[in-house]
């Protein structure tokens, strides 16, 4: 069955996701904040929309974008690193208001395992989030905007660290000295599995769920990143403490055990 799916944020994850959905025979509406990227989306048979989310509400043809959608995927991470003071929650409140003025009721909100904060032990969807960063706090609050609206059927997907073409933490860690938490487990997921999970939610109608999405392989950071550096012939990162074994290990009782999703792309 052909569906019309909207993706807000056609960047590193959103664009290949849109292309995969188009190849499955569905219609995709995609947004970008850059006018220069509109032809790129169009060339990939994605209906392009120039839309920017702001604290004062979406700027651009948001209602036209939302019109006739069967599913909306919100894939806009907060930009709260360094000196940024973005009000991500206000942006999501403005988007929520626009959604309420449309007919769309099925939402996928792409979130992050950062909402769990700096905790130790195995983390599942039943673990209460305790975010320790401003980004995590605003993400958790934004999840609630959509999840707590009983008129919407919202599924939250909390991805671990994203890796894939042109993106891997080892490139930033290479040759660094004195890194901490070398014994803490990694929590990563490959782009292709992100795409597979998001497509499965739509295809199998997994609505009103909260899902952790992390590849089920959790070696210590020191072991993993030093091995990855060697594979790429990069200087290896050095950790000052390799014995520390605390940290969180993200698991998913719902995605793996209940939903039977098979992770296909090793990290």
């Amino acid at each position: 069955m052909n569906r019309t799916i909207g993706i807000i944020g056609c960047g590193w994850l959103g664009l290949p996701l849109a292309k995969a959905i188009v190849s499955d025979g569905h219609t995709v509406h995609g947004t970008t904040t850059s006018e220069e990227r509109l032809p790129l989306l169009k060339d990939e048979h994605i209906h392009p929309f120039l839309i920017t989310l702001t604290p004062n509400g979406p700027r651009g043809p948001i209602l036209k974008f939302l019109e006739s959608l069967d599913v909306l995927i919100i894939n806009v991470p907060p930009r709260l690193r360094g000196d940024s003071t973005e009000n991500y929650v206000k942006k999501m409140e403005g988007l929520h208001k626009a959604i309420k003025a449309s007919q769309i009721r099925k939402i996928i909100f792409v979130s992050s395992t950062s909402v769990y904060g700096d905790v130790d032990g195995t983390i599942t969807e039943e673990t209460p989030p305790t975010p320790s960063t401003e980004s995590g706090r605003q993400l958790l609050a934004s999840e609630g905007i959509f999840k707590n609206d009983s008129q919407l059927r919202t599924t939250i997907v909390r991805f671990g660290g994203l890796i894939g073409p042109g993106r891997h933490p080892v490139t930033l860690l290479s040759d660094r000295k004195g890194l901490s938490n070398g014994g803490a487990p990694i929590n990563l997921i490959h782009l292709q599995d992100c795409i597979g999970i998001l497509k499965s939610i739509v295809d199998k109608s997994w609505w009103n769920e909260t899902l952790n999405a992390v590849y089920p392989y959790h070696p210590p950071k020191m072991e993993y990143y030093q091995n990855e550096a060697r594979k790429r012939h990069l200087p290896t990162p050095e950790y000052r403490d390799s014995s520390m074994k605390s940290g969180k290990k993200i698991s998913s009782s719902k995605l793996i055990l209940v939903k039977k999703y098979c992770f296909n792309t090793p990290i």
Side-chain angles (χ1 to χ4, degrees):
M1 181 181 85
N2 178 275
R3 296 182 176 94
T4 301
I5 298 169
I7 301 176
I8 295 185
C10 288
W12 185 84
L13 168 58
L15 180 58
L17 170 63
K19 291 164 64 175
I21 293 173
V22 167
S23 70
D24 286 344
H26 301 298
T27 299
V28 176
H29 291 186
T31 77
T32 177
T33 60
S34 170
E35 191 168 358
E36 290 74 21
R37 286 178 63 85
L38 292 173
L40 171 62
L41 270 61
K42 190 174 182 179
D43 288 346
E44 298 293 347
H45 307 289
I46 301 162
H47 296 270
F49 291 81
L50 185 65
I51 293 173
T52 301
L53 303 183
T54 80
N56 297 317
R59 188 169 66 241
I62 187 66
L63 293 182
K64 183 67 176 176
F65 165 76
L66 295 171
E67 187 179 38
S68 77
L69 293 185
D70 297 303
V71 176
L72 174 64
I73 301 174
I74 303 170
N75 174 46
V76 183
R79 302 185 183 279
L80 287 164
R81 294 186 177 181
D83 297 328
S84 175
T85 57
E86 174 186 57
N87 194 326
Y88 182 78
V89 175
K90 280 290 185 184
K91 289 184 177 184
M92 293 301 115
E93 288 175 344
L95 176 59
H96 176 257
K97 184 176 180 180
I99 290 170
K100 297 292 283 185
S102 74
Q103 297 301 310
I104 182 68
R105 292 296 177 262
K106 295 177 181 177
I107 310 291
I108 299 174
F109 185 85
V110 175
S111 187
S112 164
T113 56
S114 66
V115 301
Y116 292 112
D118 295 327
V119 294
D120 296 333
T122 299
I123 306 300
T124 70
E125 291 87 353
E126 287 70 42
T127 303
T130 55
S132 55
T133 64
E134 183 61 21
S135 178
R137 285 187 284 271
Q138 291 205 37
L139 264 177
L140 183 62
S142 298
E143 288 182 6
I145 293 169
F146 303 96
K147 187 176 180 180
N148 296 334
D149 186 337
S150 61
Q151 294 182 339
L152 300 178
R153 302 176 68 190
T154 300
T155 287
I156 308 294
V157 185
R158 294 171 176 163
F159 284 127
L162 304 178
I163 65 172
R167 181 169 181 165
H168 197 290
V170 75
T171 59
L172 299 176
L173 296 173
S174 173
D175 206 26
R176 289 182 61 184
K177 316 292 185 190
L179 295 171
S180 60
N181 298 338
I186 63 164
N187 293 282
L188 302 175
I189 184 168
H190 194 279
L191 171 66
Q192 292 305 315
D193 275 339
C194 295
I195 292 171
I197 289 166
L198 293 171
K199 286 172 54 180
S200 293
I201 292 168
V202 176
D203 293 341
K204 301 180 185 302
S205 295
W206 297 343
W207 303 115
N208 297 321
E209 298 274 11
T210 297
L211 304 172
N212 292 339
V214 175
Y215 192 83
Y217 173 61
H218 306 277
K221 288 181 179 180
M222 185 181 74
E223 172 189 321
Y224 177 76
Y225 289 123
Q226 289 184 346
N227 285 339
E228 290 300 310
R230 293 186 189 102
K231 288 179 187 177
R232 293 165 170 78
H233 305 289
L234 296 172
T236 58
E238 294 183 9
Y239 288 81
R240 64 173 181 263
D241 185 356
S242 62
S243 62
M244 180 178 163
K245 294 187 170 118
S246 61
K248 60 179 178 282
K249 183 182 294 185
I250 307 292
S251 182
S252 175
S253 58
K254 294 182 179 180
L255 194 57
I256 296 174
L257 300 178
V258 178
K259 299 306 180 183
K260 309 296 185 187
Y261 180 81
C262 179
F263 288 87
N264 296 307
T265 310
I267 56 175

